[in-house]
Amino acid sequence: MITVKRVRLTQTDNTVFLQAWELYGDAFPEEERRELDLQKQIINHANYHFDIVIVDEVFSGFILWWQFEGLRYIEHLATPIEYRGRGYGKTVVEQLISESHDDIILEVELPDCDSSKRRIDFYERLGFKLNTIDYKQLPMRKNGISPEMFLMTYPDELTAVKLSFFKKSFKRICYAPYFE
């Protein structure tokens, strides 16, 4: 049996961060990623978790997430191509679910290509619900765009109250201090 563990990073000046940062650049389009200077500012935020995934002492991906009151927001999850399909991502998300009774929310691209559809299917198999309400992600970089996305939630569908709480929490904690 494999052992999948997460290790929280709080600094950007080490080799494993650089491995994760390279994967981050490869796995997500520019408009959905932070610039390195902004990442350096938030990595020590108490609510932010830059967790690398280690399997058998080898870097095998990352999950970047935020803790709000009663809600966890998964911002990014990725594994290198050579480790995909081995269940590492599934295990990491299941760990996050089992650690807390908090609801979980995440953003996914609109299902307009095979990779987006596979990503949605992946989360649905883990019990997430697809919420097809109009939603735009706040820009992840200065002068960035706001891509249209869907939200997925666990364990239940999104309510108007939860959506409002998420938007306010994200803007206040994750966004405003860095963009205003």
Side-chain angles (χ1 to χ4, degrees), residues 81-92:
I81 292 172
E82 63 269 24
Y83 296 121
R84 291 185 189 155
R86 296 185 186 186
Y88 300 165
K90 175 181 183 252
T91 300
V92 168

Side-chain angles (χ1 to χ4, degrees), residues 22-93:
E22 184 177 341
L23 174 58
Y24 181 68
D26 292 343
F28 296 95
E30 183 177 57
E31 65 270 9
E32 293 178 28
R33 334 185 283 266
R34 268 186 201 88
E35 295 161 306
L36 183 57
D37 287 344
L38 183 55
Q39 183 63 52
K40 288 178 179 180
Q41 289 180 48
I42 69 165
I43 199 158
N44 284 309
H45 192 289
N47 296 71
Y48 181 68
H49 298 258
F50 191 115
D51 293 350
I52 58 163
V53 176
I54 304 292
V55 179
D56 297 330
E57 304 305 318
V58 175
F59 169 76
S60 302
F62 62 78
I63 185 167
L64 312 180
W65 62 280
W66 293 84
Q67 180 67 58
F68 304 132
E69 185 179 325
L71 179 68
R72 289 180 170 198
Y73 162 53
I74 298 174
E75 190 174 81
H76 294 97
L77 171 69
T79 54
I81 292 172
E82 63 269 24
Y83 296 121
R84 291 185 189 155
R86 296 185 186 186
Y88 300 165
K90 175 181 183 252
T91 300
V92 168
V93 173

Side-chain angles (χ1 to χ4, degrees), residues 148-162:
E148 287 188 47
M149 308 283 263
F150 281 148
L151 294 170
M152 296 191 77
T153 48
Y154 178 92
D156 301 310
E157 289 185 12
L158 191 62
T159 65
V161 171
K162 285 181 192 174

Side-chain angles (χ1 to χ4, degrees), residues 15-28:
T15 304
V16 73
F17 174 81
L18 295 175
Q19 284 180 285
W21 195 252
E22 184 177 341
L23 174 58
Y24 181 68
D26 292 343
F28 296 95

